[in-house]
Amino acid sequence: MKKHYEIWDDDVEAILITEEELDETVTRIATEIDKDYKDKNLLLLCILKGSVVFFGDLMKRLSIPCEIDCMKVSSYGAGTTSSKKINILLDLHRNDLSEKDILIVEDIIDSGRTLSYLAEYLRINGARSVKTVSLLDKPSRREVDYTPDYRGMIIPDEFVVGYGLDYAEKYRTLPYVGILKPEIYTK
Ligand code: IMP
Ligand code: MG
């Protein structure tokens, strides 16, 4: 039987990042976090849903103890442009943020709005420290001056799917990051 993602392979123009490259990248980031957070009180924060695959791979590679939690933010429309306004759909309900060093885990940074907004939001809500990690970065698309503290790979201005990233809720389960054929989102 065909794996279901082989059906989606036809919608992918090219594989941008292979499973092996993703594995190496996540391992490198985990090593950096292990070193920087060994004397801290790490709360690893998953931003649903795009970062779930990266998040799962990253957390199991960490050697230091940490807690995990999730937030969900809206990105308006199902298209290929991200929204101007960030809405929190699932918030953190904790009263221990002043003891936590939060690391926000994102799949991709594009305009920069989501990460800069969330980092500020968590600081205002009293987190002891807030840093960010983004697996992918499209710096050419930045509208807000923001650089994540940890970064996996810089990619060109292409719409990518797989490894958690979606287009209209599809393709998240692809094991690689691929460039989506433009005809999929322009038709
Ligand atoms: P930002 O707030 O513009 O930085 O947008 C970040 C969010 O936009 C990400 O968390 C993704 O949900 C979405 N996004 C941006 N570029 C892509 C892409 O190439 N593929 C899938 N989602 C993307
Ligand atoms: Mg996202």
Side-chain angles (χ1 to χ4, degrees):
M1 200 177 93
K2 264 191 141 191
K3 286 184 191 156
H4 70 287
Y5 64 75
E6 288 174 350
I7 297 160
W8 283 345
D9 282 344
D10 294 341
D11 296 350
V12 171
E13 193 162 81
I15 294 179
L16 187 65
I17 312 173
T18 63
E19 288 184 70
E20 292 73 24
E21 288 167 329
L22 287 164
D23 189 73
E24 283 165 23
T25 304
V26 178
T27 301
R28 171 178 55 77
I29 295 171
T31 307
E32 291 174 35
I33 295 169
D34 267 342
K35 182 162 63 71
D36 296 350
Y37 281 85
K38 63 177 185 301
D39 299 319
K40 295 196 170 7
N41 195 3
L42 176 59
L43 175 65
L44 208 58
L45 182 62
C46 181
I47 306 307
L48 300 172
K49 297 176 236 177
S51 66
V52 282
V53 182
F54 172 44
F55 190 86
D57 280 351
L58 181 65
M59 64 184 258
K60 71 186 181 193
R61 282 175 177 77
L62 293 177
S63 311
I64 55 168
C66 74
E67 290 184 22
I68 66 164
D69 220 322
C70 298
M71 284 182 76
K72 187 174 184 189
V73 295
S74 67
S75 53
Y76 274 121
T80 57
T81 49
S82 47
S83 58
K84 302 253 177 211
K85 189 176 178 300
I86 312 298
N87 284 313
I88 293 175
L89 303 180
L90 175 68
D91 207 343
L92 278 183
H93 298 283
R94 310 180 56 121
N95 52 18
D96 60 354
L97 289 186
S98 63
E99 298 155 24
K100 297 292 174 195
D101 297 298
I102 300 181
L103 183 57
I104 305 173
V105 180
E106 252 288 51
D107 50 356
I108 187 165
I109 177 164
D110 187 51
S111 73
R113 285 200 174 82
T114 306
L115 274 184
S116 60
Y117 177 86
L118 278 176
E120 185 60 16
Y121 177 82
L122 291 165
R123 276 186 202 109
I124 289 167
N125 278 275
R128 185 161 76 179
S129 73
V130 184
K131 286 192 176 186
T132 57
V133 51
S134 186
L135 176 68
L136 305 175
D137 187 359
K138 286 194 225 176
S140 58
R141 303 251 314 166
R142 207 69 96 248
E143 291 169 31
V144 173
D145 183 21
Y146 188 84
T147 307
D149 298 282
Y150 305 89
R151 201 157 51 166
M153 287 189 175
I154 292 176
I155 65 166
D157 182 12
E158 303 275 7
F159 195 81
V160 292
V161 293
Y163 199 67
L165 291 112
D166 76 308
Y167 169 68
E169 294 300 328
K170 291 198 284 188
Y171 312 107
R172 291 193 199 274
T173 55
L174 290 171
Y176 55 78
V177 173
I179 297 171
L180 191 63
K181 284 182 181 165
E183 68 223 48
I184 304 290
Y185 52 85
T186 48
K187 72 186 171 196

